[in-house]
Amino acid sequence: MIRDAELAYLAANGRYTANWDSLISFIETGRIPNVIKRETVIPLAYGADSIYVEYDTLGFVNVRDSLFSAQRYPGFNPETLPLIPGSDGKRFQLEAGRIFSQTGTPVNVFEAKDVHVVNPDRLKDTHPYGPLRVGSMLQASTQGNWE
């Protein structure tokens, strides 16, 4: 859910946020474009295909209704998004910024990580995943290790 919220925030604001209050407020009151994508495949004479892609914005929808609907997440409360499950109210650390790709292109990045590790086994070098994390401040990735 953190990844979904951050990706929507990026789409609406052109950057990620490192502020939980801003992200929660965005979930509760923000709007994102409702976009339709149309693809037309054009066969070429030499056997390959060319693809024409067209995007059309149909309007805007509420973030809460579209990404975090009651059908998808029954009983979801945005205020609980920063809380680490099973930690008695401790919060994920949230960071956001920009890094440069290998080609020198600036890339927006974010990372939410468990700095109050609930499962001490995740701190051991032998643990394959490490502390809970989604995103990265070092590379352009929105992957996580919620395994």
Side-chain angles (χ1 to χ4, degrees):
M1 286 190 268
I2 295 169
R3 177 187 3 232
D4 290 346
E6 282 282 11
L7 289 172
Y9 192 94
L10 173 69
N13 297 290
R15 63 180 175 79
Y16 293 114
T17 183
N19 184 295
W20 283 116
D21 292 335
S22 295
L23 193 59
I24 291 166
S25 175
F26 176 71
I27 291 169
E28 292 174 338
T29 63
R31 295 168 51 89
I32 54 175
N34 184 12
V35 178
I36 188 170
K37 176 181 173 183
R38 294 183 196 96
E39 293 183 3
T40 305
V41 178
I42 304 165
L44 301 175
Y46 52 89
D49 293 329
S50 177
I51 300 175
Y52 174 74
V53 181
E54 182 180 14
Y55 295 92
D56 190 12
T57 302
L58 303 176
F60 289 83
V61 294
N62 293 328
V63 173
R64 178 74 186 254
D65 296 339
S66 61
L67 297 180
F68 301 101
S69 69
Q71 289 175 323
R72 187 171 179 195
Y73 298 110
F76 171 65
N77 177 359
E79 296 289 331
T80 64
L81 191 62
L83 303 179
I84 300 167
S87 72
D88 294 326
K90 293 181 178 154
R91 297 175 127 204
F92 287 105
Q93 177 180 317
L94 185 61
E95 297 179 78
R98 277 188 158 186
I99 61 171
F100 291 92
S101 70
Q102 291 178 345
T103 62
T105 305
V107 178
N108 290 302
V109 293
F110 82 94
E111 182 176 70
K113 64 183 172 183
D114 177 1
V115 293
H116 308 283
V117 180
V118 175
N119 179 354
D121 288 342
R122 284 187 165 271
L123 292 176
K124 296 178 182 173
D125 290 337
T126 56
H127 196 282
Y129 303 116
L132 293 176
R133 178 192 54 78
V134 64
S136 173
M137 291 302 292
L138 303 176
Q139 57 184 329
S141 171
T142 60
Q143 296 299 310
N145 66 351
W146 256 238
E147 291 85 355

